Amino acid sequence: MTVTIQAQDFSKSQCVAGLRAALNILDKWKASCEQACRILRISRSTYTRARQRDSAWAVGLDSDQMQRISIVLNIHAALRLVFDNPENVYGFPSMKNRNEFFNGRAPLDVMAQGDMISLYETFRRIDTLRGAQW
């Protein structure tokens, strides 16, 4: 059974919480503002407002943006299972990778191409590293 995420399924406070969590991870991965905006398909102003931690600020995100947030969170979870040390958990996305898919590029660079396929395929490649650890 496939579950489709609908924009109305999320409150603005849920969108803010998810966005801030994803931005925290991207920050730890050393993603630039431009990379984070392309990966999550958000504007620079949304990026800036989310990082300001204003408790009164709210934002509505569409289903594509929420799926992107979900993928970033799932990549982070997979990395935490694969690696024991924080240097690899947070450093791996910025490391050049010789895997055929990455072809010498860092996973973060591939994700920052901005298309959903690159983001999802990056998740799939990282997820396979964990083997049967779920």
Side-chain angles (χ1 to χ4, degrees):
M1 170 186 261
T2 302
V3 177
T4 304
I5 298 174
Q6 304 273 331
Q8 66 267 19
D9 289 344
F10 298 100
S11 69
K12 287 188 175 189
S13 63
Q14 289 172 319
C15 291
V16 168
L19 178 58
R20 286 183 173 152
L23 288 175
N24 283 336
I25 291 167
L26 288 164
D27 187 51
K28 289 180 179 182
W29 289 350
K30 306 282 189 254
S32 68
C33 169
E34 292 76 22
Q35 286 175 317
C37 289
R38 283 194 303 267
I39 291 167
L40 299 177
R41 202 181 56 77
I42 59 172
S43 67
R44 185 180 207 107
S45 62
T46 298
Y47 172 88
T48 302
R49 293 291 307 270
R51 292 181 49 109
Q52 289 174 345
R53 302 287 181 197
D54 177 2
S55 60
W57 181 72
V59 66
L61 300 173
D62 63 33
S63 60
D64 177 76
Q65 291 166 315
M66 292 301 286
Q67 287 173 343
R68 290 166 180 268
I69 287 169
S70 175
I71 292 171
V72 168
L73 297 176
N74 280 294
I75 290 171
H76 177 65
L79 288 171
R80 287 180 53 125
L81 283 172
V82 171
F83 299 115
D84 292 332
N85 61 339
E87 293 82 20
N88 285 343
V89 171
Y90 297 111
F92 182 85
S94 298
M95 294 177 189
K96 302 267 185 233
N97 192 305
R98 299 288 173 222
N99 174 289
E100 185 178 320
F101 173 74
F102 296 110
N103 200 25
R105 298 173 295 171
L108 191 58
D109 293 333
V110 174
M111 291 184 277
Q113 291 176 174
D115 60 288
M116 182 63 87
I117 297 297
S118 295
L119 181 59
Y120 178 73
E121 287 300 320
T122 299
F123 162 70
R124 276 192 355 104
R125 295 319 194 278
I126 291 171
D127 191 48
T128 60
L129 296 175
R130 69 173 175 78
Q133 294 179 13
W134 282 127

